[in-house]
Amino acid sequence: MRPIHVVPLGDADRTRVENLCGPLARVFRAHVEIREVSCDVEFFFDHVRVQYNSTKIIDFLQRDIARKKTVSGDGLPLKVLAVSSEDLFIPILTYVFGEAQLGGEIAVVSYHRLQNERYGLRPDPALAQSRLLKESIHELGHTFGLIHCSSQECVMHTSTYAEDIDLKHDAFCPACQEVLQSGLHSSGA
Amino acid sequence: MNKNEIGILVVDDELIVRESLSKWFREDGFRVDAAENAAAALKKLQGGSWNLMLVDIKMPGMDGIELLQRVKEIDKNIVVIIITAFASVDTAVKALKDGAYDYITKPIDPDYLDHLVEKAIRQQQLTAENLRLKETVTELSTPSEIIGDSAEIAKVLELVDTVAVTDTTVLIRGESGTGKELVARAIHTRSARKYFPLVTVNCGAMTETLLESELFGHERGAFTGAQYRRKGKVELADGGTLFLDEIGNIDTKTQMDLLRVLETKQFTRVGGTEVLRSDFRVICATNRDLEKAVKEGFFREDLYYRLNVFTIPLPPLRARRGDIARLAHFFVEKYSAAMNKQVRGFSPEAMHAIKAYDWPGNVRELENAVERAMVVTTGEVIEKEHLPLHTTASTRGNGKRLEDMERQYIESVLRETGWNVSRSAAILDIDRVTLYHKIEKYGLKRES
């Protein structure tokens, strides 16, 4: 069974990234491993917006996979989740917590806006980690073809504020779980 | 409504914007497509149904405001949200005046975008639902608009009830102003098709080409000025009733096309090739002598037989004089409410004039006369001079039926003699028994 690769980008906190692997493995019932990718994150930096372009990050990782496919089919991941510490955006929106290819292979998530200190509150590393895990599951869920869910507790419920993330669980609702199972099956996981 | 049934069209010349927004809404489960300019958007508008459009204001060629105007011409229910690079009050006001739901500036706050789209779609759905409910409630709660308790009207209502439950084609015949459309509506609202539209086509008010396009719709470019595809009344009546008013006035070619669609329930839009189907019931009306028109070759015999399955003849108002007073009071109540006036009714002289008048324009003329009187009256009662019939009534004579003239003359003699039957009979040079018969025949009553 092919693994899910978790890629720390730039100076992303390795401990936070490592702490994601176990829960992700349980949720997706797949082997999850950290993979280092050498890239200069400044390439994704937009000097006008002073933010990082998540679409460019996904394009880069897509090309990285395509290159690997041409060299050798061995060791190809089931999905790739990049984790960033930077503020991400897509051109039309002011910010995003993450971005994913719907029904594709790549997802990216950032914990920049998930931390209390960004909003002038007392740091809460456990809460930030919980939010990061939920958003990681959410973006990976998109790569399995899942769309936003109307159930407020489902991890696929859309969240545009950090506090919204706290309202949902780090698990799929039964309907989304069913779609995920079918996605996992067709992905050969 | 499921989100995948809701169509969002993103119109922006920047590929990255189209891709980002499309992806954002796709993750929400919407049906999404994108167009790189206004022309492409209009094309996509023809090919599918869209609930919401996000339109960039600044595009090469036709800009977002012009596209907004075009979209609203095609379908005013589509929600259009304008995207601008800079917040400009002038532009925003212009967009909103032209019917945009709202405008947003780039880059968009994702939370604001989600809420705006959700709110717009909810409002669109509520508006549509509200309209549907209003129509249904109106149809179900409106009491019969056919006023009168004369034997003639009772017969009409009986025929309406008999035919309403069937799907039979109905031909309503009667003079102008006798209420043919009301009868058509009564049949529709009492039929199983009442939850679907009643679509009226006034065949007499259109030229041959216009009527054809009105009935069957047209494709884009079918003729000069046909910039967009348009559904015809036949298509719009799907599930409901098609009411063809003044059917006796349609030209020979349209008669042929109409016969075909009545027989097959299939048609083609003007300038199109696609064969479309529509399930509708036909009610038509005419004040023409169709039999004579058939004999003279102005009306197709086969169409005549196709339409003349179940006929409802409507009596002229002069043939149901007993309903005149009730109708007049009904219109007083109607316009009192509409004009916010406290008018109670008519003076005895006014009512006498109303009853004596011939009403060649039938109920429509009576309604217009009451409406006019309601406008000019300042008191609680409509006086004879408020009614626009004194000159017409007194000078009319030519063209009036002999019976009408006889009735009017007898009535005036009776009035002169204070309803002294013997003296009146002497003046009229008829015996008393004959006069009593005449009084009964014409429904003449002494005014209290």
Side-chain angles (χ1 to χ4, degrees), chain A residues 91-94 99-100 148 160-161, chain B residues 16 23 27-28 107-108 110-111:
Chain A
I92 190 66
L93 298 180
T94 46
E99 188 185 344
H148 289 153
T160 43
Y161 286 123
Chain B
I16 190 73
K23 191 173 169 195
E27 285 180 358
D28 268 331
I108 310 160
D111 188 59

Side-chain angles (χ1 to χ4, degrees), chain B residues 106-295:
Chain B
K106 288 189 221 176
I108 310 160
D109 180 287
D111 188 59
Y112 182 69
L113 180 64
D114 275 358
H115 280 102
L116 184 66
V117 167
E118 195 182 315
K119 201 172 73 172
I121 287 168
R122 197 184 310 138
Q123 187 176 313
Q124 184 187 51
Q125 288 175 344
L126 284 175
T127 307
E129 190 181 0
N130 188 293
L131 271 177
R132 276 198 303 274
L133 287 173
K134 264 188 183 169
E135 281 168 11
T136 309
V137 168
T138 308
E139 282 178 5
L140 293 178
S141 64
T142 306
S144 174
E145 295 168 292
I146 303 164
I147 309 293
D149 46 18
S150 62
E152 290 82 1
I153 278 302
K155 176 72 185 160
V156 168
L157 290 173
E158 193 186 313
L159 291 172
V160 165
D161 282 335
T162 306
V163 79
V165 291
T166 71
D167 226 13
T168 306
T169 300
V170 182
L171 176 62
I172 305 165
R173 309 182 76 155
E175 289 179 13
S176 181
T178 45
K180 294 186 284 292
E181 188 165 357
L182 292 187
V183 172
R185 206 181 306 159
I187 296 170
H188 174 73
T189 53
R190 291 168 200 211
S191 75
R193 294 177 179 269
K194 65 185 170 194
Y195 299 111
F196 296 92
L198 167 68
V199 179
T200 300
V201 186
N202 190 337
C203 305
M206 278 173 257
T207 60
E208 177 183 337
T209 334
L210 197 60
L211 179 60
E212 193 186 4
S213 160
E214 184 79 0
L215 279 172
F216 306 114
H218 61 73
E219 292 291 345
R220 183 170 179 253
F223 48 81
T224 313
Q227 284 181 302
Y228 307 103
R229 185 170 72 197
R230 186 170 171 234
K231 286 183 180 179
K233 295 287 173 78
V234 166
E235 198 170 345
L236 293 171
D238 190 24
T241 305
L242 182 67
F243 175 50
L244 303 168
D245 201 2
E246 296 189 45
I247 189 76
N249 296 357
I250 60 172
D251 63 276
T252 326
K253 184 186 175 297
T254 314
Q255 285 179 32
M256 203 165 65
D257 292 341
L258 194 58
L259 179 66
R260 196 178 309 125
V261 76
L262 293 183
E263 282 177 346
T264 63
K265 296 287 164 81
Q266 293 182 359
F267 63 98
T268 309
R269 294 194 195 103
V270 176
T273 50
E274 190 186 358
V275 177
L276 302 163
R277 282 180 172 277
S278 182
D279 167 38
F280 57 91
R281 185 228 193 116
V282 174
I283 300 176
C284 45
T286 186
N287 56 6
R288 279 191 73 180
D289 183 345
L290 282 188
E291 291 74 12
K292 193 174 164 214
V294 169
K295 262 187 203 161

Side-chain angles (χ1 to χ4, degrees), chain A residues 49 53 55 58 90-96 98-102 138-139 142 146-148 158 160-161 164, chain B residues 3 12 16-17 19-21 23-24 26-30 83 105-115:
Chain A
R49 297 189 49 158
N53 188 324
T55 308
I58 286 183
I90 61 173
I92 190 66
L93 298 180
T94 46
Y95 67 89
V96 287
E99 188 185 344
Q101 295 173 321
L102 189 63
H138 180 98
E139 296 304 337
H142 281 316
L146 284 160
I147 58 171
H148 289 153
T158 184
T160 43
Y161 286 123
D164 292 347
Chain B
K3 277 192 172 175
D12 200 306
I16 190 73
V17 172
E19 284 184 349
S20 306
L21 281 176
K23 191 173 169 195
W24 183 260
R26 225 166 259 139
E27 285 180 358
D28 268 331
F30 292 111
I83 308 172
T105 48
K106 288 189 221 176
I108 310 160
D109 180 287
D111 188 59
Y112 182 69
L113 180 64
D114 275 358
H115 280 102

Side-chain angles (χ1 to χ4, degrees), chain A residues 25-183:
Chain A
R26 276 193 296 278
V27 169
F28 292 98
R29 292 180 190 135
H31 179 59
V32 178
E33 57 190 46
I34 292 178
R35 186 171 69 85
E36 297 288 343
V37 171
S38 68
C39 76
D40 181 3
V41 289
E42 291 313 301
F43 176 71
F44 314 122
F45 187 67
D46 186 299
H47 290 272
V48 177
R49 297 189 49 158
V50 200
Q51 286 175 302
Y52 289 77
N53 188 324
S54 60
T55 308
K56 284 188 176 173
I57 295 173
I58 286 183
D59 287 346
F60 166 78
L61 293 168
Q62 183 68 67
R63 278 202 301 275
D64 186 53
I65 288 186
R67 188 172 49 81
K68 281 196 172 62
K69 277 180 185 167
T70 54
V71 176
S72 155
D74 295 338
L76 281 175
L78 174 65
K79 306 286 178 190
V80 175
L81 171 73
V83 182
S84 169
S85 60
E86 308 295 354
D87 192 14
L88 302 181
F89 77 100
I90 61 173
I92 190 66
L93 298 180
T94 46
Y95 67 89
V96 287
F97 294 148
E99 188 185 344
Q101 295 173 321
L102 189 63
E105 292 170 309
I106 322 284
V108 58
V109 69
S110 158
Y111 56 82
H112 180 85
R113 286 178 183 258
L114 306 183
Q115 305 170 107
N116 267 0
E117 48 269 45
R118 188 187 149 79
Y119 308 102
L121 301 170
R122 210 149 47 94
D124 187 341
L127 182 65
Q129 186 66 26
S130 160
R131 288 171 178 170
L132 176 61
L133 173 63
K134 289 174 189 175
E135 284 310 284
S136 299
I137 298 170
H138 180 98
E139 296 304 337
L140 278 171
H142 281 316
T143 65
F144 285 100
L146 284 160
I147 58 171
H148 289 153
C149 178
S150 58
S151 164
Q152 300 232 342
E153 294 182 341
C154 177
V155 75
M156 290 313 293
H157 191 75
T158 184
S159 312
T160 43
Y161 286 123
E163 312 89 83
D164 292 347
I165 304 171
D166 303 336
L167 299 173
K168 60 188 182 184
H169 296 164
D170 56 5
F172 297 98
C173 70
C176 289
Q177 184 68 45
E178 206 173 305
V179 179
L180 174 71
Q181 284 312 120
S182 131

